[in-house]
Amino acid sequence: MSQNDLQRIIDFRISFARRQAGEVREVPGGFLVLHREYARSHEHNQLHITGPADPEGLPALADEVMAFLPHRRITVHDETLGPLCVPALERAGYTHVTEVLMVHTGPVPEAGAADVVERELGPYPHGLLRRAVTAQQWRWMPDADEKTVHDLVERRTARRAGAEEVLFLAAHDDSGEIASWADLYLEPAAGIAQIEEVATAEPYLRRGYAGAVLADALRRAAAAGCALRFLVADQDDWPLRWYGRRGFTAVGRAHSFSRF
């Protein structure tokens, strides 16, 4: 993959963050996104660093521009700058996660007669996806409060504004219940697509549903003319290897910092 393609991925992520935001504030070295309706969603209320920045000054900058928020979240998109920010931010109490940008370099999976049926869903038109995501969110965060779970579930509505076309995909079991789901963000004019938040409800784990949703997303992206197809995975989590077995290759890194 060319360096230009990596920059296209970075630019897409930055554009997606800006377009789905309720408010954007420019700050030195980047921008702050806010969405008051989903205040507990760190994705929608965070600082993005996109240009030259002083690593030692980032904690103070975040405290200044996010003073009214109970959390701090910073994403550094520059692969070189990110590691330089680790010492100062960890001293300030931040947790660091390396995000791996992965591009699909394998063949697009063919649809098979034995595949489970995938159905495109809008932002909860029938309540099926909302019900599945809410139940799983409570499993992941049993001690969370109602507002936190609400924001993490309902924020998908905001994502619809992030790209030219945003699809919510799901695989259903034989009874029609949703077993696995994913977001698909398409920019056909730019030839790029992102697959995001592939997840499976715990009762359906290890039964092939996530693989079916991922394959369907890849087919839809290819059919839309998006030759550059990517996703983001945590460097220290098992899905990185799972995606690698399904034709994804690491091409770059971003760095995320959080403090609660």
Side-chain angles (χ1 to χ4, degrees):
M1 192 193 75
S2 71
Q3 191 67 25
N4 180 60
D5 282 344
L6 176 57
Q7 189 59 52
R8 289 171 61 201
I9 290 171
I10 295 170
D11 291 344
F12 179 91
R13 296 189 74 205
I14 291 169
S15 172
F16 193 92
R18 285 180 173 274
R19 290 167 65 173
Q20 69 168 327
E23 179 184 354
V24 178
R25 298 181 185 178
E26 305 301 325
V27 303
F31 60 96
L32 176 71
V33 295
L34 299 170
H35 209 307
R36 310 276 181 164
E37 189 171 351
Y38 310 109
R40 303 290 178 87
S41 172
H42 295 182
E43 171 193 352
H44 292 92
N45 298 272
Q46 67 166 307
L47 182 60
H48 290 268
I49 300 300
T50 59
D54 171 21
E56 293 295 329
L58 276 184
L61 175 63
D63 284 344
E64 177 185 352
V65 301
M66 303 178 74
F68 52 90
L69 293 172
H71 71 271
R72 301 288 183 268
R73 171 73 175 270
I74 305 170
T75 295
V76 180
H77 293 274
D78 185 279
E79 187 167 10
T80 301
L81 177 61
L84 300 178
C85 298
V86 174
L89 287 168
E90 287 189 340
R91 284 197 303 270
Y94 283 78
T95 299
H96 170 228
V97 172
T98 300
E99 299 177 338
V100 182
L101 311 180
M102 306 187 77
V103 167
H104 188 250
T105 56
V108 176
E110 295 183 1
D115 284 353
V116 296
V117 175
E118 290 84 37
R119 191 167 70 203
E120 177 183 331
L121 299 172
Y124 310 127
H126 309 299
L128 294 175
L129 184 57
R130 176 187 284 113
R131 183 169 65 190
V133 173
T134 300
Q136 186 56 43
Q137 198 67 56
W138 280 116
R139 294 185 189 104
W140 285 330
M141 304 175 67
D143 297 326
D145 56 41
E146 292 280 352
K147 171 62 174 171
T148 297
V149 172
H150 170 274
D151 287 5
L152 295 180
V153 172
E154 300 298 331
R155 65 185 178 179
R156 281 164 182 76
T157 302
R159 290 177 184 164
R160 295 193 70 194
E164 182 178 337
E165 189 173 5
V166 175
L167 304 180
F168 301 94
L169 308 177
H172 302 251
D173 68 7
D174 292 338
S175 70
E177 290 297 318
I178 291 179
S180 187
W181 56 88
D183 295 0
L184 177 60
Y185 313 140
L186 300 166
E187 284 286 344
I192 186 170
Q194 179 181 4
I195 300 167
E196 180 59 29
E197 206 157 311
V198 180
T200 301
E202 285 183 13
Y204 298 96
L205 290 172
R206 298 178 181 86
R207 291 165 59 180
Y209 288 107
V213 171
L214 180 64
D216 187 69
L218 289 168
R219 287 193 294 269
R220 289 173 182 264
C226 298
L228 181 56
R229 302 176 288 274
F230 79 97
L231 52 77
V232 181
D234 184 336
Q235 179 172 274
D236 299 320
D237 207 355
W238 68 265
L240 183 75
R241 298 181 293 277
W242 187 82
Y243 290 126
R245 294 194 297 270
R246 285 156 180 79
F248 284 86
T249 302
V251 296
R253 283 165 175 76
H255 296 267
S256 175
F257 302 88
S258 300
R259 192 181 77 195
F260 304 97

